[in-house]
Amino acid sequence: MIRFRSLEARMASFFLILIIAVQLIGLVATKVGIDSNAVRAISAELANGEKVFRNLLEQNMQKRLDSAKVLAQDTAFKQAIGNDEGADRDTIESVLVNHGRRAKAALTMLISGERKVRVATGVMQAGALETQVMGMLDKADQLDGASAIGVVDGRPYQIVVMPVKAPVTIAWVVMGFAIDSTLANNMKEIDAIDVSLMIHGRNGSWNQVGSTLPPEASNELAAVLGGQGQAPAGAFDLKLSDTQYRARLLSLGANDEDTAMVLLARSVDAAMSEYRALERLLLVLSSIGVVLAGVGAVWIAKRIAQPLVELAGTAKRLEQGDYAGDIDVRRGDELGALAKAFDSMRDGIAKREQEIRRLAYWDTLTNLPNRAQFTLLLNDSIRAGRTVFVIMMDLDRFKHVNDVMGHSFGDALLGKVAERIGQTLASTPGAQLARLGGDEFAVLLPGLSLEDARSIANRILAALEEPLSIEDQTVDIGAGVGIAGFPVHAEAGETLLSMAEVAMYTAKLRNDGAVVYDAAIDKSSAQSLSLLTELRHAIERHEFRLHVQPKIDLQTGRVVGVEALVRWVHPERGNVFPDQFIPFAEQTGFIRVLTRWVLEQSALLCQSLAAQGLNLKFSVNLSTRDLLDQDLPNKFKDVLTRHNLSPSSFCLEITESAIMDDPVRAEQTLHRLHAMGVDLSIDDFGTGYSSLAYLKRLPVNELKIDKSFVLNMEKDVGDTKIVRSTIDLGHNMGLRVVAEGIENEAVWHLLAELGCDQGQGYYMSRPIPGDKLADWVASWRAPVAAATAK
């Protein structure tokens, strides 16, 4: 039995629905085509019917003209017309009546040569008829007879006018023939089209004169046409007595009040009857086709789905770890190939699962338990109810070694570290070393006390302080070590690991041996996380402000540039000092976002000042993380391009300590920036530990003397000597020298005498908002000596 949700049922249903849909579409298309063709055929039939009806009218009209002509050519009739005696009037009237009776004329009339009605028979009110007839006299003379259709007393008539000539026209014979059901029946016999004679009044009324329609339809005709307003043009649909008709109206003639019209109608149902049998035959054939197709669809679905059901059963056994048993599908088609592939896959899975189990819980590099296995061991120890301590450590400077010496060297280093820690733990029963990932290791210490954990952690630190020798290279390496335990600090394995990690990172920051977890440490971490969130919101909410401190040429007193600085206006805490968030931003990496913001705002201000005629060089500080960002040159280029600025508009400042954190990558970044044409400056020169030999290799353009040497140089001879030697050193290396921390005019003059190029400090200006810079430059006045040197 087929289950509806099975593949077999869905396939059979799909094919069956598809076949039924195709058949239905075919039937609908056929019916639409038949109906459309029938409507077109009826419309064509009505158009032909119009021609037939008009020909029939024309034939009748010609007979009427011939009948009138016989009377007009009668000699005795002409003599009677020529005599104006009263007896001849009676003769004329008698002739008109007798001839009209023979010709079946409903009315006759004699018009005198003076164009006056001399005799009229069968006409009750001849006013409208007389007007129409008088308009036909000239045409009758020219064509030897004229005809038209008129309306007399609300009925249509064929009017013929024939001149009486002797030899000139002495009178006109007029005969009128009623158009009635006889003509409609004749038309029905000829063309199988129903004909209705109608009078359409100027007031919108419809009156029926005669019709071949069934009585029930004929009775509704006038009312239905009246509901349509104006007479429809061309073929139109008409529903009479629940029967659909296709109809056409013909105008025959009119007087001032009424229009004689003919309605030609064809029953759509009657016209379609011959097509219904064809439609029923098609429906029967389609039904048979659907039944046969349904049987075939079920058979095909079973043929395809049955092997898949067997393979699904095998897959369930594989899911449960049962890799035994054969796959009994013997076919030569694609499903047979799938079964063979499934069999091979089963064997492969069985082999790989064993390997996966090993890889999932063991580190391949050090052959130590990985984080997953370590967590399982930790949870087992906690469930056993024993005291458990975890020592977690993160190697110092490993990333630097990995970048400089290469990944293979770094892998070898991790192996050596694992070996050394293992040797240190050899004397500790039950201790289990694991590599958690990267350069992180952990030690599980079940059944030991906190003091034992401290002692083991210190032994590990002492072991790591001894240099490691790898590939003829000696490497000094240390580690940050954190300690947390159960049940002292946590009762869950993951929580315990998180606490040990917090303690480990605190140890790396303090650089003061192993650190045991403390709740106060975690609180500090939460505060740091909150600060990071606030910094991100500050960027989004535009809470940062760009401030600048002018840089002055000490020889001329001219403003030559500014140093760009960032200030944070917190919505609740007010102004936040840079010392409170810049170090944290550097630690978390958010400093890159801040640097990008300062570059962007500096470019905007630089562009605005240039438009005012102030061309100043903007100095922007770069942090260690900025220098290690290999994409920094591209980001800086993007800022310059968008603001249409030259690289020479900027000077990027870096500290010695930032360079020495990763000299190789820092030098690469600096060379790429220098190649763009931007100036580079060594900030706080003299406070770092870099060698002059290394600094000489850097593509810098400027040295900035740290303010700690400048502040007291007028009073401290030692500081003055350091500043003098730094200025001489910078000039000998071809560099521009800038002094920061100038707080009085005496220091200005002293630096100028020593040849210092530029300076900045509170004496000239504190940092000011960027939008106030233009006004400050306009109001700036240099000391007298400098002003004289301009």
Side-chain angles (χ1 to χ4, degrees):
M1 183 174 179
I2 298 178
R3 291 173 300 157
F4 182 73
R5 297 189 63 181
S6 66
L7 174 63
E8 181 180 340
R10 291 199 299 270
M11 289 177 63
S13 300
F14 171 77
F15 286 126
L16 191 58
I17 291 171
L18 181 62
I19 292 167
I20 292 174
V22 171
Q23 293 290 350
L24 287 176
I25 291 171
L27 288 174
V28 170
T30 301
K31 180 173 177 54
V32 170
I34 288 174
D35 291 347
S36 178
N37 287 333
V39 170
R40 284 197 296 270
I42 293 172
S43 297
E45 190 175 345
L46 290 174
N48 291 330
E50 179 183 354
K51 295 177 182 178
V52 171
F53 185 81
R54 291 194 183 280
N55 287 337
L56 188 59
L57 276 178
E58 185 64 30
Q59 290 174 6
N60 286 344
M61 193 72 76
Q62 191 61 46
K63 291 179 182 179
R64 313 303 189 209
L65 284 171
D66 291 342
S67 178
K69 191 173 185 179
V70 170
L71 177 59
Q73 292 178 348
D74 185 90
T75 303
F77 184 64
K78 291 181 182 180
Q79 291 176 353
I81 293 173
N83 191 346
D84 197 22
E85 294 299 326
D88 291 331
R89 175 183 177 84
D90 294 337
T91 302
I92 292 171
E93 182 175 353
S94 176
V95 170
L96 287 175
V97 170
N98 292 331
H99 192 81
R101 187 181 298 114
R102 289 194 298 271
K104 297 182 180 180
L107 57 89
T108 58
M109 188 182 295
L110 180 67
I111 307 298
S112 68
E114 292 79 16
R115 301 195 178 211
K116 294 182 179 180
V117 178
R118 188 171 177 182
V119 179
T121 67
V123 182
M124 299 299 293
Q125 296 178 353
L129 176 61
E130 183 178 344
T131 302
Q132 184 174 3
V133 168
M134 293 303 175
M136 298 171 63
L137 298 181
D138 291 336
K139 183 178 179 181
D141 276 345
Q142 295 173 3
L143 301 177
D144 196 22
S147 64
I149 294 177
V151 180
V152 179
D153 294 334
R155 298 184 69 84
Y157 287 84
Q158 280 186 322
I159 309 298
V160 296
V161 178
M162 184 62 65
V164 180
K165 297 183 179 182
V168 297
T169 301
I170 60 174
W172 290 269
V173 173
V174 178
M175 301 180 74
F177 301 87
I179 300 175
D180 52 18
S181 298
T182 303
L183 181 63
N185 291 328
N186 291 339
M187 179 65 186
K188 174 77 172 178
E189 292 174 0
I190 294 173
D191 210 9
I193 293 177
D194 287 302
V195 179
S196 298
L197 302 174
M198 309 296 297
I199 298 298
H200 183 36
R202 299 293 186 217
N203 59 358
S205 64
W206 291 85
N207 293 310
Q208 183 176 284
V209 177
S211 177
T212 63
L213 288 168
E216 59 273 13
S218 176
N219 294 336
E220 295 180 5
L221 180 59
V224 172
L225 289 176
Q228 295 195 8
Q230 295 183 349
F236 62 96
D237 292 322
L238 195 65
K239 191 168 186 179
L240 300 171
S241 185
D242 296 328
T243 302
Q244 190 70 31
Y245 289 88
R246 187 78 174 164
R248 191 182 186 96
L249 276 172
L250 310 179
S251 178
L252 300 180
N255 60 20
D256 293 339
E257 297 298 329
D258 301 311
T259 301
M261 306 193 81
V262 172
L263 177 77
L264 303 179
R266 183 74 163 93
S267 171
V268 175
D269 294 336
M272 292 289 292
S273 61
E274 56 192 64
Y275 296 105
R276 300 306 179 198
L278 176 60
E279 290 180 355
R280 286 192 291 272
L281 178 60
L282 290 175
L283 181 60
V284 170
L285 293 177
S286 297
S287 300
I288 294 172
V290 168
V291 172
L292 294 177
V295 173
V298 172
W299 182 81
I300 292 174
K302 281 183 174 294
R303 176 75 175 163
I304 295 174
Q306 194 59 41
L308 296 179
V309 172
E310 296 179 13
L311 292 177
T314 303
K316 287 183 178 179
R317 293 198 301 272
L318 292 178
E319 179 186 5
Q320 297 167 359
D322 180 8
Y323 299 103
D326 294 331
I327 299 176
D328 188 19
V329 177
R330 302 290 183 265
R331 295 175 56 157
D333 56 9
E334 289 84 352
L335 289 174
L338 176 61
K340 292 179 181 178
F342 213 88
D343 195 30
S344 299
M345 180 185 71
R346 179 190 58 183
D347 296 338
I349 290 175
K351 294 176 182 177
R352 285 191 293 274
E353 184 172 331
Q354 186 176 4
E355 179 65 16
I356 289 171
R357 288 180 181 276
R358 189 183 69 84
L359 294 176
Y361 296 103
W362 293 86
D363 177 52
T364 56
L365 181 62
T366 60
N367 202 29
L368 292 173
N370 61 13
R371 190 182 191 96
Q373 178 71 0
F374 186 81
T375 303
L376 290 175
L377 295 173
L378 174 59
N379 288 331
D380 288 343
S381 298
I382 291 175
R383 280 193 293 269
R386 295 185 296 171
T387 301
V388 181
F389 279 92
V390 172
I391 298 175
M392 188 178 292
M393 64 201 81
D394 182 89
L395 302 182
D396 296 333
R397 298 180 295 280
F398 175 75
K399 186 178 185 303
H400 174 70
V401 172
N402 209 36
D403 292 340
V404 174
M405 305 301 295
H407 291 286
S408 59
F409 188 91
D411 291 346
L413 176 59
L414 291 174
K416 286 286 187 181
V417 169
E419 182 182 340
R420 180 165 293 184
I421 298 175
Q423 293 171 355
T424 305
L425 297 174
S427 59
T428 304
Q432 178 63 62
L433 175 64
R435 181 187 174 213
L436 303 185
D439 58 349
E440 287 188 5
F441 292 84
V443 179
L444 181 66
L445 301 173
L448 298 183
S449 64
L450 176 58
E451 291 305 318
D452 293 333
R454 285 181 186 273
S455 174
I456 294 171
N458 290 330
R459 283 160 45 197
I460 292 173
L461 284 172
L464 292 178
E465 287 177 358
E466 297 181 14
L468 293 166
S469 180
I470 304 171
E471 299 176 4
D472 298 328
Q473 297 284 338
T474 300
V475 180
D476 289 321
I477 199 158
V481 176
I483 303 172
F486 164 82
V488 180
H489 301 120
E491 296 185 355
E494 286 294 340
T495 307
L496 191 59
L497 285 175
S498 298
M499 292 177 172
E501 188 172 19
V502 169
M504 176 188 71
Y505 282 115
T506 303
K508 290 180 73 69
L509 290 175
R510 294 180 181 176
N511 197 22
D512 188 25
V515 172
V516 178
Y517 174 79
D518 189 293
I521 299 175
D522 227 358
K523 183 178 179 182
S524 175
S525 299
Q527 290 174 345
S528 297
L529 182 61
S530 175
L531 180 58
L532 180 59
T533 302
E534 289 189 15
L535 283 172
R536 287 175 178 154
H537 288 167
I539 285 286
E540 297 168 359
R541 298 169 182 170
H542 308 291
E543 296 174 4
F544 290 116
R545 302 289 184 270
L546 181 71
H547 281 54
V548 293
Q549 186 174 36
K551 294 173 69 175
I552 312 297
D553 187 316
L554 296 180
Q555 306 302 321
T556 64
R558 185 170 57 89
V559 182
V560 293
V562 294
E563 181 178 0
L565 304 167
V566 63
R567 296 293 184 264
W568 184 6
V569 181
H570 195 280
E572 296 176 359
R573 291 187 281 173
N575 293 325
V576 181
F577 292 106
D579 291 346
Q580 294 176 319
F581 66 90
I582 293 295
F584 178 76
E586 290 179 347
Q587 177 186 341
T588 58
F590 189 78
I591 193 68
R592 291 184 179 180
V593 179
L594 272 181
T595 301
R596 183 68 181 268
W597 183 89
V598 173
L599 286 172
E600 188 74 32
Q601 298 302 313
S602 298
L604 282 170
L605 181 57
C606 183
Q607 186 181 38
S608 174
L609 293 173
Q612 302 175 46
L614 287 175
N615 296 304
L616 303 178
K617 186 184 292 290
F618 276 71
S619 296
V620 177
N621 292 284
L622 298 182
S623 71
T624 302
R625 290 184 181 267
D626 291 323
L627 283 179
L628 299 182
D629 183 4
Q630 298 297 298
D631 198 37
L632 176 64
N634 294 330
K635 294 177 182 176
F636 181 56
K637 182 179 179 181
D638 173 64
V639 172
L640 295 176
T641 302
R642 283 189 290 103
H643 297 286
N644 196 27
L645 294 174
S646 167
S648 60
S649 302
F650 278 84
C651 177
L652 301 181
E653 299 184 359
I654 59 268
T655 62
E656 293 178 77
S657 58
I659 297 172
M660 296 313 297
D661 276 359
D662 193 338
V664 176
R665 291 173 66 183
E667 189 174 347
Q668 291 173 352
T669 303
L670 292 175
H671 276 288
R672 289 176 61 194
L673 289 169
H674 178 72
M676 293 172 58
V678 63
D679 281 1
L680 299 174
S681 174
I682 300 294
D683 195 13
D684 299 337
F685 183 75
T687 61
Y689 301 97
S690 58
S691 67
L692 291 176
Y694 177 72
L695 291 177
K696 185 177 67 175
R697 301 206 317 261
L698 299 178
V700 296
N701 308 88
E702 178 183 279
L703 287 182
K704 289 190 74 173
I705 304 173
D706 186 67
K707 63 182 179 181
S708 61
F709 302 115
V710 177
L711 287 174
N712 298 315
M713 62 178 293
E714 62 173 324
K715 301 175 182 178
D716 191 322
V717 177
D719 285 346
T720 304
K721 289 180 180 180
I722 292 174
V723 171
R724 177 187 290 111
S725 62
T726 303
I727 294 172
D728 292 340
L729 173 65
H731 287 164
N732 290 335
M733 295 175 67
L735 305 178
R736 181 174 61 249
V737 180
V738 180
E740 51 185 356
I742 302 175
E743 296 194 353
N744 57 58
E745 185 175 347
V747 173
W748 170 305
H749 291 304
L750 184 55
L751 287 168
E753 290 173 7
L754 295 175
C756 186
D757 301 301
Q758 298 174 12
Q760 63 186 91
Y762 285 2
Y763 171 64
M764 289 84 92
S765 173
R766 292 176 176 271
I768 58 176
D771 56 0
K772 306 294 184 183
L773 178 60
D775 294 338
W776 184 91
V777 172
S779 63
W780 160 248
R781 296 294 180 268
V784 176
T788 305
K790 289 184 181 179

